Amino acid sequence: MNIVLGPPGTGKTTKLLGLVEMYIKKGVSPDRIGYFAFTRRAAKEAVDRACVKFNLEKKDLPFFRTLHSLAFYQAGFTHNEVMTSAKYQQVAEWLKIGKFYSDKNTEQGPYKDFGYGDKFLEIINISRILLQPLRKVYNESIVPLKTDWARVQYVANGLTHWKKSYGLYDYTDMLEQFIERELCPKLEIVFIDEAQDLSPIQWKMVRLLEKNSEICYIAGDDDQAIFRYAGADVEHFVNLEGTTTLLDKSYRIPLKHHVLSNNVIKKIVGRRQKPFEPKDEQGIVQWHSHSEKVDMSKEDWLLLSRTTRGAQQIEEEVRKRGHLYTYNGSKSIDGKVLVAVRLWETLRTGGAITADEVRLVYKQMLLNSQVAYGFKTMPDGKEGVYYTIEELMQDHGLLHRRPWDQGLGKINQIDKGYIKACLRKGESLTEDPRIRISTIHSAKGSEATNVMLLTDTMRRPYSMWRKITNYEDDEARVFYVGLTRAQKALHLVHPMYSQGFSIPT
């Protein structure tokens, strides 16, 4: 086994893709190489970069995917066979136990199935992920204070029977099927990325992959293992034995950030020691009494919070300031609305747009008062032809030439006010938002020129049903991830709603 330790910003993905390139040059077919990542984002990044680097198409890399996707693919499941939240609620009704609870705001990590936060589903599914008897997980949880063992066993058996009766599978079923049926593909080279976040059941998959390959690389960083509460087996990664390569130069983290983050992570006992150098810049670290004090009017920003509540507070504030942003990957306003505004103003200032662009604009207009009946889909529009506002008014049903905030009637007043505020601040309607808002868990792997980090902590440790151990170590890892996202400036905000995480200076 080959172990690649990649501290923040040291180019772990680049290193792994360099190894992929080396093996392709040696004659290994791309479809005989497996690259399995923990998250969809990491798997997609690997596929996209590999396609560009090696001039391939996605179909040429069938084994560049997540482990869950591999199990789904190898077992031949269809999407109609996958359990959904609606189907879980049908089970609850059939069992006559009311409804299953699901905390949609929780960063679930390796815990993929519906029901995190439900006293039944959480311990049933986590026992399978951890490969532990349900009774043991039940006994070590807080669930006995709420319901007896017989009821938990009744729900677990009923759920299994219901899925079997209807031919349905949850995500953990897929992993179990992969292992029990030994569905592992025969590959020459296998790469496992983000391995520090794998759960015990996923490690069983990895062992099968290693057994059925000629060469195996396991890559990760235990200092960035932030999903233990959801099943990740950090100690398994720490205790791996094999030929180890340490990437010892960060191309992201400046010196001041490096010192600060190292003061946080070095408190953890039993971690893998990974001495690495920061990049050759001092960097900026500033403390603020409130997030309102941070000027984010220029350059790109990543705004981070330990809690969902904090991220929502940041979102509200950024929106009031008049900045476009994305929150956990979703844009603050529909991109098609922004395109329609830009195209309409292009028309009003003498420009011309294509028929497809006219359709985008018309979609934001009111029928009969702004665009005539029968013209909203631009039925007689011709490909390759550009249309001016005069031509649209004469022949294609346009009924006005008012400014966008008066002429695009489908845009609600709140969004109009927000777009106006963004335009006053000079935000671009054509480029992707330069501000991203995220919880720390969702931002792992991300980076930005500037980072703002709230230092508020959780009011309760992760789960209301299980007793969480190693809480202080896990919190240190979470904030270590947050402290290592910035390329230039790190803005830390004193806690506003909790005691806060102590960051040694």
Side-chain angles (χ1 to χ4, degrees):
M1 177 183 292
N2 300 280
I3 303 168
V4 179
L5 301 178
T10 54
K12 174 166 57 67
T13 302
T14 300
K15 170 68 174 179
L16 297 183
L17 290 180
L19 291 169
V20 171
E21 181 178 23
M22 179 186 76
Y23 286 112
I24 289 177
K25 286 181 177 179
K26 287 183 176 181
V28 179
S29 175
D31 63 2
R32 297 277 289 163
I33 298 175
Y35 190 113
F36 305 105
F38 171 69
T39 61
R40 289 181 181 177
R41 180 173 63 184
K44 182 180 184 301
E45 179 188 1
V47 170
D48 292 345
R49 288 175 62 174
C51 286
V52 172
K53 188 178 183 69
F54 312 130
N55 194 27
L56 299 171
E57 297 181 9
K58 289 183 180 181
K59 64 181 178 62
D60 299 320
L61 301 165
F63 297 111
F64 275 52
R65 52 180 68 232
T66 65
L67 289 173
H68 280 92
S69 174
L70 173 66
F72 180 91
Y73 178 75
Q74 290 296 105
F77 289 118
T78 66
H79 291 288
N80 291 332
E81 295 176 288
V82 179
M83 288 290 290
T84 63
S85 58
K87 288 170 182 173
Y88 274 107
Q89 298 302 1
Q90 290 176 21
V91 177
E93 293 173 9
W94 177 67
L95 292 171
K96 301 187 185 306
I97 58 170
K99 287 186 176 182
F100 288 128
Y101 169 81
S102 178
D103 185 355
K104 296 180 180 178
N105 291 323
T106 301
E107 308 293 345
Q108 297 190 25
Y111 188 106
K112 298 290 185 185
D113 287 308
F114 173 87
Y116 192 90
D118 181 84
K119 62 179 176 290
F120 295 115
L121 291 182
E122 182 174 327
I123 65 169
I124 288 169
N125 287 331
I126 207 72
S127 73
R128 299 164 66 204
I129 290 169
L130 297 177
L131 303 177
Q132 295 180 0
L134 177 57
R135 185 61 187 261
K136 178 178 184 292
V137 175
Y138 169 81
N139 288 342
E140 294 175 352
S141 73
I142 307 171
V143 175
L145 300 176
K146 291 293 183 178
T147 191
D148 58 38
W149 164 246
R151 192 161 177 79
V152 172
Q153 193 175 38
Y154 161 73
V155 173
N157 292 338
L159 176 59
T160 300
H161 175 77
W162 197 90
K163 289 188 296 182
K164 186 175 181 180
S165 298
Y166 288 93
L168 295 169
Y169 302 87
D170 60 33
Y171 288 103
T172 307
D173 287 325
M174 297 175 195
L175 304 188
E176 291 171 344
Q177 289 278 317
F178 182 93
I179 294 165
E180 291 168 11
R181 294 165 56 189
E182 296 191 359
L183 299 174
C184 187
K186 289 284 186 180
L187 300 170
E188 291 187 46
I189 316 294
V190 164
F191 296 89
I192 309 294
D193 199 3
E194 300 180 310
Q196 75 279 348
D197 288 320
L198 299 182
S199 63
I201 192 170
Q202 289 172 320
W203 277 114
K204 286 194 77 171
M205 286 186 68
V206 170
R207 291 303 182 189
L208 274 177
L209 287 163
E210 181 188 13
K211 179 182 175 182
N212 284 273
S213 65
E214 297 177 15
I215 301 173
C216 181
Y217 291 87
I218 307 288
D221 176 11
D222 54 294
D223 292 340
Q224 300 182 71
I226 59 177
F227 288 106
R228 186 206 301 272
Y229 72 93
D233 188 350
V234 183
E235 285 67 34
H236 190 113
F237 179 82
V238 171
N239 294 324
L240 285 177
E241 295 182 358
T243 303
T244 302
T245 299
L246 171 64
L247 306 180
D248 59 2
K249 175 69 175 179
S250 179
Y251 302 96
R252 176 199 304 157
I253 307 175
L255 176 61
K256 289 183 178 180
H257 306 187
H258 183 54
V259 172
L260 199 65
S261 58
N262 193 53
N263 287 340
V264 168
I265 205 65
K266 70 181 182 182
K267 295 179 179 180
I268 297 177
V269 177
R271 55 183 281 266
R272 279 183 179 267
Q273 297 298 319
K274 296 173 289 295
F276 68 99
E277 296 295 321
K279 70 179 183 180
D280 301 325
E281 294 179 18
Q282 287 291 309
I284 299 169
V285 176
Q286 291 184 358
W287 281 91
H288 304 268
S289 59
H290 195 283
S291 54
E292 292 177 347
K293 305 291 186 181
V294 181
D295 179 7
M296 56 190 74
S297 59
K298 297 178 181 179
E299 298 183 318
D300 62 294
W301 285 78
L302 179 60
L303 313 182
L304 297 176
S305 169
R306 171 66 185 84
T307 66
T308 301
R309 176 185 178 182
Q312 291 170 343
Q313 169 213 324
I314 295 173
E315 180 186 22
E316 182 180 345
E317 181 184 318
V318 171
R319 194 175 183 91
K320 285 180 180 178
R321 290 198 199 187
H323 296 306
L324 294 174
Y325 62 88
T326 60
Y327 177 27
N328 280 349
S330 298
K331 290 185 178 180
S332 55
I333 195 164
D334 188 346
K336 291 182 180 179
V337 170
L338 298 178
V339 171
V341 171
R342 177 178 59 82
L343 291 173
W344 178 243
E345 290 307 302
T346 296
L347 283 171
R348 291 185 65 249
T349 54
I353 62 177
T354 68
D356 283 340
E357 291 173 332
V358 172
R359 293 183 184 102
L360 280 174
V361 173
Y362 279 5
K363 192 172 183 179
Q364 303 302 327
M365 290 186 173
L366 298 173
L367 196 60
N368 291 332
S369 61
Q370 295 175 341
V371 60
Y373 182 82
F375 288 93
K376 199 160 188 178
T377 60
M378 192 70 173
D380 51 354
K382 296 179 180 178
E383 187 175 348
V385 176
Y386 284 77
Y387 299 88
T388 64
I389 197 167
E390 287 77 15
E391 291 170 330
L392 292 174
M393 293 188 73
Q394 181 175 337
D395 301 318
H396 302 284
L398 182 62
L399 300 177
H400 73 96
R401 57 169 73 231
R402 295 189 291 273
W404 72 269
D405 57 327
Q406 301 173 33
L408 302 181
K410 286 292 188 74
I411 305 175
N412 64 56
Q413 291 301 317
I414 294 176
D415 284 346
K416 285 180 181 178
Y418 174 53
I419 295 172
K420 286 180 181 178
C422 292
L423 290 173
R424 284 195 298 270
K425 287 293 181 70
E427 294 287 345
S428 171
L429 300 187
T430 59
E431 299 176 0
D432 288 335
R434 57 185 181 79
I435 296 175
R436 291 170 289 154
I437 303 171
S438 175
T439 59
I440 298 173
H441 283 84
S442 293
K444 194 159 73 70
S446 299
E447 62 182 16
T449 303
N450 307 281
V451 168
M452 182 184 80
L453 174 63
L454 303 188
T455 56
D456 286 279
T457 54
M458 299 278 286
R459 289 186 172 181
R460 61 178 176 81
Y462 298 105
S463 171
M464 69 176 71
W465 300 116
R466 288 179 292 127
K467 298 172 185 177
I468 302 297
T469 58
N470 306 104
Y471 177 68
E472 291 184 1
D473 285 355
D474 291 344
E475 283 296 277
R477 288 186 171 103
V478 171
F479 277 93
Y480 176 78
V481 168
L483 291 167
T484 55
R485 301 303 98 191
Q487 298 166 316
K488 184 179 79 172
L490 177 61
H491 297 264
L492 301 171
V493 180
H494 289 289
M496 293 178 280
Y497 299 105
S498 69
Q499 182 177 351
F501 183 80
S502 177
I503 300 176
T505 56

